[in-house]
mmCIF file of all heavy atoms in Angstrom:
data_model
loop_
_atom_site.group_PDB
_atom_site.id
_atom_site.type_symbol
_atom_site.label_atom_id
_atom_site.label_comp_id
_atom_site.label_asym_id
_atom_site.label_seq_id
_atom_site.Cartn_x
_atom_site.Cartn_y
_atom_site.Cartn_z
ATOM 1 N N PRO A 347 -20.093 55.909 -55.606
ATOM 2 C CA PRO A 347 -20.301 56.878 -54.514
ATOM 3 C C PRO A 347 -20.259 56.134 -53.141
ATOM 4 O O PRO A 347 -20.114 54.912 -53.036
ATOM 5 C CB PRO A 347 -21.642 57.523 -54.816
ATOM 6 C CG PRO A 347 -22.400 56.419 -55.487
ATOM 7 C CD PRO A 347 -21.339 55.682 -56.336
ATOM 8 N N LYS A 348 -20.494 56.910 -52.101
ATOM 9 C CA LYS A 348 -20.540 56.335 -50.761
ATOM 10 C C LYS A 348 -21.708 55.348 -50.634
ATOM 11 O O LYS A 348 -22.784 55.599 -51.183
ATOM 12 C CB LYS A 348 -20.669 57.435 -49.705
ATOM 13 C CG LYS A 348 -19.407 58.312 -49.590
ATOM 14 C CD LYS A 348 -19.577 59.336 -48.480
ATOM 15 C CE LYS A 348 -18.327 60.176 -48.313
ATOM 16 N NZ LYS A 348 -18.471 61.160 -47.215
ATOM 17 N N PRO A 349 -21.542 54.239 -49.961
ATOM 18 C CA PRO A 349 -22.646 53.361 -49.711
ATOM 19 C C PRO A 349 -23.633 53.908 -48.728
ATOM 20 O O PRO A 349 -23.305 54.934 -48.031
ATOM 21 C CB PRO A 349 -21.963 52.098 -49.176
ATOM 22 C CG PRO A 349 -20.648 52.540 -48.597
ATOM 23 C CD PRO A 349 -20.240 53.744 -49.410
ATOM 24 N N PRO A 350 -24.877 53.377 -48.650
ATOM 25 C CA PRO A 350 -25.322 52.145 -49.241
ATOM 26 C C PRO A 350 -25.587 52.339 -50.729
ATOM 27 O O PRO A 350 -26.020 53.387 -51.212
ATOM 28 C CB PRO A 350 -26.614 51.858 -48.531
ATOM 29 C CG PRO A 350 -27.093 53.205 -48.089
ATOM 30 C CD PRO A 350 -25.905 53.989 -47.764
ATOM 31 N N HIS A 351 -25.281 51.250 -51.493
ATOM 32 C CA HIS A 351 -25.373 51.333 -52.959
ATOM 33 C C HIS A 351 -26.675 50.689 -53.454
ATOM 34 O O HIS A 351 -27.173 49.691 -52.946
ATOM 35 C CB HIS A 351 -24.198 50.529 -53.570
ATOM 36 C CG HIS A 351 -22.886 51.222 -53.464
ATOM 37 N ND1 HIS A 351 -21.702 50.600 -53.455
ATOM 38 C CD2 HIS A 351 -22.582 52.566 -53.235
ATOM 39 C CE1 HIS A 351 -20.732 51.439 -53.306
ATOM 40 N NE2 HIS A 351 -21.251 52.662 -53.190
ATOM 41 N N CYS A 352 -27.247 51.314 -54.462
ATOM 42 C CA CYS A 352 -28.432 50.783 -55.165
ATOM 43 C C CYS A 352 -28.101 50.792 -56.656
ATOM 44 O O CYS A 352 -27.696 51.793 -57.258
ATOM 45 C CB CYS A 352 -29.666 51.629 -54.905
ATOM 46 S SG CYS A 352 -30.422 51.326 -53.318
ATOM 47 N N ASN A 353 -28.308 49.566 -57.264
ATOM 48 C CA ASN A 353 -28.150 49.474 -58.746
ATOM 49 C C ASN A 353 -29.175 50.404 -59.423
ATOM 50 O O ASN A 353 -30.319 50.422 -59.046
ATOM 51 C CB ASN A 353 -28.417 48.033 -59.141
ATOM 52 C CG ASN A 353 -27.981 47.714 -60.583
ATOM 53 O OD1 ASN A 353 -27.944 48.582 -61.426
ATOM 54 N ND2 ASN A 353 -27.708 46.422 -60.799
ATOM 55 N N VAL A 354 -28.639 51.188 -60.374
ATOM 56 C CA VAL A 354 -29.543 52.088 -61.035
ATOM 57 C C VAL A 354 -30.526 51.367 -62.005
ATOM 58 O O VAL A 354 -31.521 51.907 -62.452
ATOM 59 C CB VAL A 354 -28.741 53.187 -61.853
ATOM 60 C CG1 VAL A 354 -27.810 53.960 -60.939
ATOM 61 C CG2 VAL A 354 -27.993 52.538 -62.987
ATOM 62 N N ASN A 355 -30.193 50.100 -62.311
ATOM 63 C CA ASN A 355 -31.039 49.345 -63.225
ATOM 64 C C ASN A 355 -32.033 48.515 -62.465
ATOM 65 O O ASN A 355 -31.687 47.755 -61.507
ATOM 66 C CB ASN A 355 -30.134 48.397 -64.046
ATOM 67 C CG ASN A 355 -29.200 49.185 -64.956
ATOM 68 O OD1 ASN A 355 -29.638 49.982 -65.773
ATOM 69 N ND2 ASN A 355 -27.911 48.982 -64.831
ATOM 70 N N GLY A 356 -33.297 48.609 -62.854
ATOM 71 C CA GLY A 356 -34.332 47.855 -62.248
ATOM 72 C C GLY A 356 -34.904 46.824 -63.168
ATOM 73 O O GLY A 356 -34.218 46.275 -64.083
ATOM 74 N N LEU A 357 -36.218 46.516 -63.067
ATOM 75 C CA LEU A 357 -36.873 45.649 -63.978
ATOM 76 C C LEU A 357 -37.250 46.363 -65.258
ATOM 77 O O LEU A 357 -37.927 47.398 -65.206
ATOM 78 C CB LEU A 357 -38.147 45.079 -63.289
ATOM 79 C CG LEU A 357 -38.878 43.928 -64.014
ATOM 80 C CD1 LEU A 357 -38.063 42.640 -63.825
ATOM 81 C CD2 LEU A 357 -40.312 43.758 -63.463
ATOM 82 N N THR A 358 -36.773 45.825 -66.385
ATOM 83 C CA THR A 358 -37.080 46.503 -67.660
ATOM 84 C C THR A 358 -38.452 46.121 -68.130
ATOM 85 O O THR A 358 -39.118 45.254 -67.543
ATOM 86 C CB THR A 358 -36.025 46.067 -68.694
ATOM 87 O OG1 THR A 358 -36.233 44.678 -69.064
ATOM 88 C CG2 THR A 358 -34.594 46.277 -68.209
ATOM 89 N N ASP A 359 -38.892 46.743 -69.223
ATOM 90 C CA ASP A 359 -40.187 46.364 -69.797
ATOM 91 C C ASP A 359 -40.220 44.926 -70.254
ATOM 92 O O ASP A 359 -41.200 44.202 -70.123
ATOM 93 C CB ASP A 359 -40.548 47.328 -70.929
ATOM 94 C CG ASP A 359 -40.847 48.723 -70.430
ATOM 95 O OD1 ASP A 359 -41.156 48.900 -69.233
ATOM 96 O OD2 ASP A 359 -40.816 49.691 -71.231
ATOM 97 N N LEU A 360 -39.072 44.474 -70.802
ATOM 98 C CA LEU A 360 -38.980 43.047 -71.192
ATOM 99 C C LEU A 360 -39.059 42.147 -69.921
ATOM 100 O O LEU A 360 -39.635 41.102 -69.948
ATOM 101 C CB LEU A 360 -37.681 42.776 -71.954
ATOM 102 C CG LEU A 360 -37.638 43.106 -73.451
ATOM 103 C CD1 LEU A 360 -36.254 42.852 -74.004
ATOM 104 C CD2 LEU A 360 -38.673 42.324 -74.217
ATOM 105 N N GLY A 361 -38.423 42.575 -68.880
ATOM 106 C CA GLY A 361 -38.438 41.871 -67.632
ATOM 107 C C GLY A 361 -39.855 41.782 -67.065
ATOM 108 O O GLY A 361 -40.300 40.726 -66.594
ATOM 109 N N ALA A 362 -40.576 42.869 -67.164
ATOM 110 C CA ALA A 362 -41.994 42.889 -66.705
ATOM 111 C C ALA A 362 -42.844 41.933 -67.532
ATOM 112 O O ALA A 362 -43.697 41.219 -67.035
ATOM 113 C CB ALA A 362 -42.539 44.294 -66.746
ATOM 114 N N HIS A 363 -42.513 41.878 -68.809
ATOM 115 C CA HIS A 363 -43.226 40.965 -69.718
ATOM 116 C C HIS A 363 -42.988 39.539 -69.278
ATOM 117 O O HIS A 363 -43.897 38.662 -69.251
ATOM 118 C CB HIS A 363 -42.784 41.180 -71.144
ATOM 119 C CG HIS A 363 -43.405 40.234 -72.156
ATOM 120 N ND1 HIS A 363 -44.728 40.413 -72.603
ATOM 121 C CD2 HIS A 363 -42.938 39.101 -72.759
ATOM 122 C CE1 HIS A 363 -45.040 39.439 -73.412
ATOM 123 N NE2 HIS A 363 -43.942 38.623 -73.517
ATOM 124 N N MET A 364 -41.714 39.221 -68.924
ATOM 125 C CA MET A 364 -41.405 37.872 -68.483
ATOM 126 C C MET A 364 -42.095 37.550 -67.166
ATOM 127 O O MET A 364 -42.675 36.404 -66.980
ATOM 128 C CB MET A 364 -39.901 37.671 -68.321
ATOM 129 C CG MET A 364 -39.506 36.318 -67.789
ATOM 130 S SD MET A 364 -37.730 36.029 -67.929
ATOM 131 C CE MET A 364 -37.584 34.497 -66.933
ATOM 132 N N VAL A 365 -42.135 38.455 -66.218
ATOM 133 C CA VAL A 365 -42.821 38.212 -64.956
ATOM 134 C C VAL A 365 -44.261 37.936 -65.182
ATOM 135 O O VAL A 365 -44.866 37.000 -64.614
ATOM 136 C CB VAL A 365 -42.618 39.379 -63.983
ATOM 137 C CG1 VAL A 365 -43.500 39.241 -62.789
ATOM 138 C CG2 VAL A 365 -41.173 39.502 -63.561
ATOM 139 N N ARG A 366 -44.920 38.725 -66.042
ATOM 140 C CA ARG A 366 -46.337 38.532 -66.319
ATOM 141 C C ARG A 366 -46.505 37.191 -67.048
ATOM 142 O O ARG A 366 -47.576 36.517 -66.842
ATOM 143 C CB ARG A 366 -46.886 39.677 -67.159
ATOM 144 C CG ARG A 366 -46.918 40.984 -66.315
ATOM 145 C CD ARG A 366 -47.645 42.093 -67.039
ATOM 146 N NE ARG A 366 -47.679 43.294 -66.264
ATOM 147 C CZ ARG A 366 -46.842 44.340 -66.395
ATOM 148 N NH1 ARG A 366 -45.942 44.381 -67.380
ATOM 149 N NH2 ARG A 366 -46.955 45.416 -65.648
ATOM 150 N N GLY A 367 -45.585 36.808 -67.880
ATOM 151 C CA GLY A 367 -45.667 35.515 -68.576
ATOM 152 C C GLY A 367 -45.551 34.377 -67.563
ATOM 153 O O GLY A 367 -46.252 33.334 -67.744
ATOM 154 N N MET A 368 -44.746 34.532 -66.546
ATOM 155 C CA MET A 368 -44.661 33.466 -65.507
ATOM 156 C C MET A 368 -45.953 33.399 -64.742
ATOM 157 O O MET A 368 -46.375 32.288 -64.342
ATOM 158 C CB MET A 368 -43.436 33.796 -64.601
ATOM 159 C CG MET A 368 -42.105 33.675 -65.311
ATOM 160 S SD MET A 368 -40.731 34.159 -64.282
ATOM 161 C CE MET A 368 -40.722 32.865 -63.050
ATOM 162 N N ILE A 369 -46.579 34.537 -64.423
ATOM 163 C CA ILE A 369 -47.821 34.544 -63.739
ATOM 164 C C ILE A 369 -48.915 33.777 -64.586
ATOM 165 O O ILE A 369 -49.624 32.946 -64.043
ATOM 166 C CB ILE A 369 -48.344 35.976 -63.441
ATOM 167 C CG1 ILE A 369 -47.390 36.666 -62.483
ATOM 168 C CG2 ILE A 369 -49.776 36.018 -62.943
ATOM 169 C CD1 ILE A 369 -47.680 38.196 -62.248
ATOM 170 N N GLU A 370 -48.936 34.057 -65.886
ATOM 171 C CA GLU A 370 -49.897 33.393 -66.740
ATOM 172 C C GLU A 370 -49.720 31.882 -66.750
ATOM 173 O O GLU A 370 -50.698 31.124 -66.908
ATOM 174 C CB GLU A 370 -49.740 33.910 -68.166
ATOM 175 C CG GLU A 370 -50.195 35.353 -68.311
ATOM 176 C CD GLU A 370 -49.866 35.916 -69.720
ATOM 177 O OE1 GLU A 370 -49.326 35.105 -70.519
ATOM 178 O OE2 GLU A 370 -50.080 37.100 -69.996
ATOM 179 N N ARG A 371 -48.504 31.426 -66.541
ATOM 180 C CA ARG A 371 -48.197 30.022 -66.557
ATOM 181 C C ARG A 371 -48.178 29.339 -65.208
ATOM 182 O O ARG A 371 -47.828 28.147 -65.081
ATOM 183 C CB ARG A 371 -46.872 29.790 -67.319
ATOM 184 C CG ARG A 371 -46.927 30.101 -68.807
ATOM 185 C CD ARG A 371 -45.557 30.260 -69.415
ATOM 186 N NE ARG A 371 -45.551 30.518 -70.818
ATOM 187 C CZ ARG A 371 -45.783 31.737 -71.359
ATOM 188 N NH1 ARG A 371 -45.995 32.787 -70.595
ATOM 189 N NH2 ARG A 371 -45.836 31.900 -72.690
ATOM 190 N N GLY A 372 -48.471 30.122 -64.188
ATOM 191 C CA GLY A 372 -48.438 29.575 -62.833
ATOM 192 C C GLY A 372 -47.077 29.202 -62.289
ATOM 193 O O GLY A 372 -46.956 28.320 -61.439
ATOM 194 N N MET A 373 -46.044 29.896 -62.782
ATOM 195 C CA MET A 373 -44.692 29.587 -62.349
ATOM 196 C C MET A 373 -44.313 30.427 -61.128
ATOM 197 O O MET A 373 -44.892 31.487 -60.868
ATOM 198 C CB MET A 373 -43.698 29.874 -63.466
ATOM 199 C CG MET A 373 -43.931 29.009 -64.722
ATOM 200 S SD MET A 373 -42.864 29.462 -66.155
ATOM 201 C CE MET A 373 -41.272 28.802 -65.481
ATOM 202 N N ILE A 374 -43.349 29.946 -60.351
ATOM 203 C CA ILE A 374 -42.909 30.631 -59.162
ATOM 204 C C ILE A 374 -41.788 31.600 -59.515
ATOM 205 O O ILE A 374 -40.809 31.184 -60.171
ATOM 206 C CB ILE A 374 -42.423 29.607 -58.098
ATOM 207 C CG1 ILE A 374 -43.577 28.706 -57.684
ATOM 208 C CG2 ILE A 374 -41.830 30.321 -56.897
ATOM 209 C CD1 ILE A 374 -43.185 27.480 -56.862
#
Side-chain angles (χ1 to χ4, degrees):
K348 291 182 179 181
H351 289 156
C352 282
N353 193 334
V354 302
N355 295 303
L357 190 74
T358 69
D359 290 341
L360 279 177
H363 178 77
M364 178 170 168
V365 170
R366 293 187 178 101
M368 293 175 69
I369 293 173
E370 291 171 4
R371 292 164 177 82
M373 299 176 72
I374 297 168

